[in-house]
Amino acid sequence: MYINKHLQIFILLIFSVVATAQETKKCPVDTLITKDDKYTGVVLFSDSTWTLVDLGRPQFDDDDISEDWETEKIHAFRELTIADLPEVDTLHLLNKCAYAAPIKGHVRSGFMFRRRRPHYGTDIPLIVGTPIYSAFDGKVRVVRKTRNAGGYGNLVVVRHPNGLETYYGHLSSHAVKEGDIVKAGEVIGYGGNTGRSTGPHLHFEARYKGKPFDPQRIIDFEAGQLRDSVFVLKRHYFNIYSHYGQTDEESLKASERQIHTVRSGDTLGGLARKYHTTVSNICKLNKMSSKKTLRIGQRLIVR
């Protein structure tokens, strides 16, 4: 739907050029996209003249996206800590850019701790080769192949003027390069199964100042729509235990949890005494049985 809208704009521009040409008795004979600028078209006329047509370049200032611009490393704002961020920030998602669904589908795995690792994004299953679209207008900051992107596989990171960055992981191939300006709804790659992946899917992350939060807070992936045009981002949303669907009270409480990494000799009874709680409460917080064997390296919520 979004691509069709841009096609309609392009057609209207051509009709405008044709109308002008008819007034001067010129007839357009061909339309070309310039090699070095995908947002500029060239209309050729029968009298060997030509004119340029603006195809809708995204309009934003470099100042909106230039802060801590980093291409050597995947994550920007590495020196910034969550404590440095404001308690509350308001992001106007559609104020400086448009939106399009990166992909529509059922969320298979969300923002959570998973298999001893924090999973900082949302996974949506797909068929290999499915087009993946930029969620907002922006500029491509990172394009990496699997060998240089760790578990992300083939990766694209886009910086947006609304303050966000979006990550697109496990791609089969890229369709953009670093430094490209992209529109919302423009293909930036194709879905795949590269990197640390257990099946074809898109791993999508949303980050603010380099810090991830649950993408489902801003996007309904099944409907392919933004949940709202304005997003109130709270500091406790950056905690891996804070996710969409919680009340603010639940999210804040989850972000204040104490986590213990199991070491040799640890027992539930010993942890209960150490953290001034009960075995029953630890089991409830971790949705586990009191008879479950603890594994070294396992992370347990203890309070």
Side-chain angles (χ1 to χ4, degrees):
M1 181 65 69
Y2 190 85
I3 295 176
N4 290 340
K5 186 184 295 184
H6 280 284
L7 181 59
Q8 290 170 5
I9 293 172
F10 177 71
I11 292 172
L12 288 173
L13 288 169
I14 297 302
F15 279 160
S16 175
V17 171
V18 170
T20 303
Q22 288 176 341
E23 292 177 2
T24 58
K25 307 303 181 183
K26 294 192 295 186
C27 179
V29 295
D30 202 357
T31 305
L32 308 173
I33 305 298
T34 58
K35 180 179 179 181
D36 298 322
D37 186 353
K38 60 188 174 184
Y39 297 116
T40 301
V42 179
V43 179
L44 305 177
F45 296 103
S46 55
D47 64 352
S48 299
T49 60
W50 54 272
T51 189
L52 297 177
V53 179
D54 183 356
L55 303 182
R57 176 187 298 275
Q59 299 297 318
F60 53 83
D61 295 330
D62 279 345
D63 289 346
D64 293 332
I65 60 172
S66 61
E67 184 181 3
D68 201 54
W69 186 266
E70 172 68 69
T71 58
E72 295 301 315
K73 295 181 174 62
I74 291 175
H75 305 307
F77 299 97
R78 297 171 69 88
E79 302 302 318
L80 202 66
T81 67
I82 291 176
D84 295 325
L85 300 178
E87 287 277 0
V88 178
D89 213 338
T90 301
L91 306 184
H92 296 269
L93 301 179
L94 297 179
N95 188 29
K96 295 183 178 181
C97 52
Y99 164 78
I103 188 175
K104 289 175 64 175
H106 174 71
V107 174
R108 184 178 72 191
S109 182
F111 188 83
M112 64 179 70
F113 228 93
R114 191 182 66 181
R115 296 191 297 274
R116 304 190 191 185
R117 295 175 181 270
H119 183 249
Y120 289 125
T122 298
D123 290 350
I124 299 103
L126 49 69
I127 297 172
V128 173
T130 299
I132 304 300
Y133 306 101
S134 179
F136 302 98
D137 299 340
K139 186 175 182 179
V140 178
R141 184 173 63 80
V142 171
V143 174
R144 290 286 178 90
K145 292 188 176 181
T146 300
R147 63 179 178 272
N148 297 317
Y152 283 111
N154 290 327
L155 172 71
V156 172
V157 178
V158 183
R159 173 79 61 87
H160 309 289
N162 55 23
L164 298 178
E165 282 195 333
T166 51
Y167 287 47
Y168 308 80
H170 305 313
L171 302 176
S172 59
S173 61
H174 308 109
V176 292
K177 62 183 184 299
E178 290 179 358
D180 279 356
I181 302 296
V182 293
K183 290 181 180 179
E186 183 172 336
V187 176
I188 50 89
Y190 297 90
N193 190 31
T194 57
R196 190 182 300 117
S197 173
T198 56
H201 69 278
L202 172 67
H203 173 84
F204 180 88
E205 290 184 16
R207 293 187 178 234
Y208 178 73
K209 302 291 186 181
K211 307 300 180 282
F213 62 90
D214 187 353
Q216 292 190 85
R217 289 190 179 277
I218 61 173
I219 298 175
D220 178 342
F221 287 94
E222 292 201 16
Q225 298 175 345
L226 284 179
R227 298 197 186 276
D228 204 335
S229 61
V230 177
F231 175 51
V232 178
L233 176 59
K234 301 183 179 181
R235 187 191 291 168
H236 56 85
Y237 289 177
F238 296 112
N239 189 283
I240 192 64
Y241 295 104
S242 172
H243 55 79
Y244 174 73
Q246 294 173 328
T247 65
D248 268 1
E249 183 181 358
E250 291 170 334
S251 173
L252 187 57
K253 187 175 180 179
S255 70
E256 293 172 345
R257 287 173 175 168
Q258 284 184 267
I259 310 300
H260 177 85
T261 302
V262 175
R263 294 187 281 268
S264 177
D266 281 344
T267 64
L268 286 173
L271 293 178
R273 291 189 294 273
K274 178 177 180 179
Y275 290 100
H276 307 290
T277 184
T278 64
V279 170
S280 175
N281 192 49
I282 292 175
C283 291
K284 182 180 178 181
L285 288 172
N286 293 278
K287 299 179 181 179
M288 58 185 283
S289 166
S290 61
K291 298 180 181 179
K292 183 176 178 63
T293 301
L294 301 183
R295 304 185 312 272
I296 294 176
Q298 179 181 359
R299 290 168 60 95
L300 290 176
I301 305 169
V302 290
R303 286 189 69 84

